[in-house]
Amino acid sequence: MRNWVRQHPYLALVAGYVVIFVIAGAIRLAFVPGDLADAAVYTIMNTLVYWLLVLFQVRNLRKTNARLKERGQLRAFIRYPESRPGSLSGIWNQGIVTPAAGSLQFQPAVYDNLEASGRATTLIVERVQPERWKVTGENRKYIGSFGMYAVTVLTDRGTVEPAASPESLDRLAEALAG
């Protein structure tokens, strides 16, 4: 199913809209008895408002990613697995990563537009482990995005685990190697 959605994204979007439309219409008819036309109009308006909100969110994320890409930066989440339990060992901190040859700078950031918060930290990279792993379930705490992968990086300050999209991790690996 996942592969079909990746191969046919627009058809999957239309199918998803139809499913949401049918479910919302059925709920409207079940709880508010009335005309089928009223339920259809109400459902169309509600689902269109929902999709407009989704459209604005996706557009803002794309703008932010384009802005970061032109600056050579990327959006990532970082955690420090060797830190004390209860501190930053299990919490992913969102921010902006600026990779360079042999180092990376992490600037903590908040919100989807990545407003900087706190001081930037520069980490000297000693080695990047080759294996990537998908961030899922309980391990995904504080990451609002799905489809994130993480890699283990050995630095001068200990082990760090950055998590980002696969494309961002590829760019990170290229910049660290170069």
Side-chain angles (χ1 to χ4, degrees):
M1 179 73 165
R2 188 179 296 171
N3 290 333
W4 181 84
V5 170
R6 286 183 182 148
Q7 291 172 355
H8 307 92
Y10 296 111
L11 191 57
L13 185 65
V14 170
Y17 181 77
V18 169
V19 168
I20 290 173
F21 180 80
V22 169
I23 291 172
I27 290 172
R28 172 73 178 182
L29 280 175
F31 290 110
V32 182
D35 190 9
L36 184 62
D38 288 342
V41 169
Y42 179 81
T43 304
I44 287 171
M45 298 307 271
N46 281 337
T47 55
L48 285 178
V49 167
Y50 170 76
W51 285 109
L52 282 174
L53 292 172
V54 168
L55 178 72
F56 287 130
Q57 181 69 20
V58 168
R59 189 186 70 172
N60 286 339
L61 283 174
R62 285 186 178 168
K63 276 184 181 178
T64 301
N65 288 338
R67 176 177 48 98
L68 291 175
K69 191 171 186 174
E70 76 181 25
R71 294 180 183 173
Q73 300 172 324
L74 52 104
R75 175 180 180 234
F77 298 85
I78 286 187
R79 75 175 179 179
Y80 303 91
E82 294 177 347
S83 62
R84 292 182 184 167
S87 60
L88 294 176
S89 63
I91 297 174
W92 294 93
N93 194 9
Q94 177 179 242
I96 301 168
V97 172
T98 308
S103 70
L104 59 93
Q105 181 182 28
F106 178 73
Q107 171 70 52
V110 294
Y111 309 121
D112 287 336
N113 62 354
L114 298 178
E115 286 185 28
S117 67
R119 278 192 269 170
T121 303
T122 301
L123 303 167
I124 306 299
V125 176
E126 296 170 358
R127 194 171 93 208
V128 178
Q129 301 288 3
E131 58 274 346
R132 292 182 182 178
W133 45 277
K134 188 168 183 165
V135 181
T136 58
E138 185 66 29
N139 209 10
R140 202 177 66 81
K141 198 183 297 183
Y142 300 106
I143 296 182
S145 305
F146 291 97
M148 294 288 186
Y149 284 81
V151 65
T152 304
V153 177
L154 304 176
T155 68
D156 59 338
R157 297 187 183 184
T159 304
V160 175
E161 293 176 340
S165 66
E167 299 84 25
S168 295
L169 285 180
D170 291 341
R171 289 184 20 224
L172 178 69
E174 285 176 22
L176 290 174

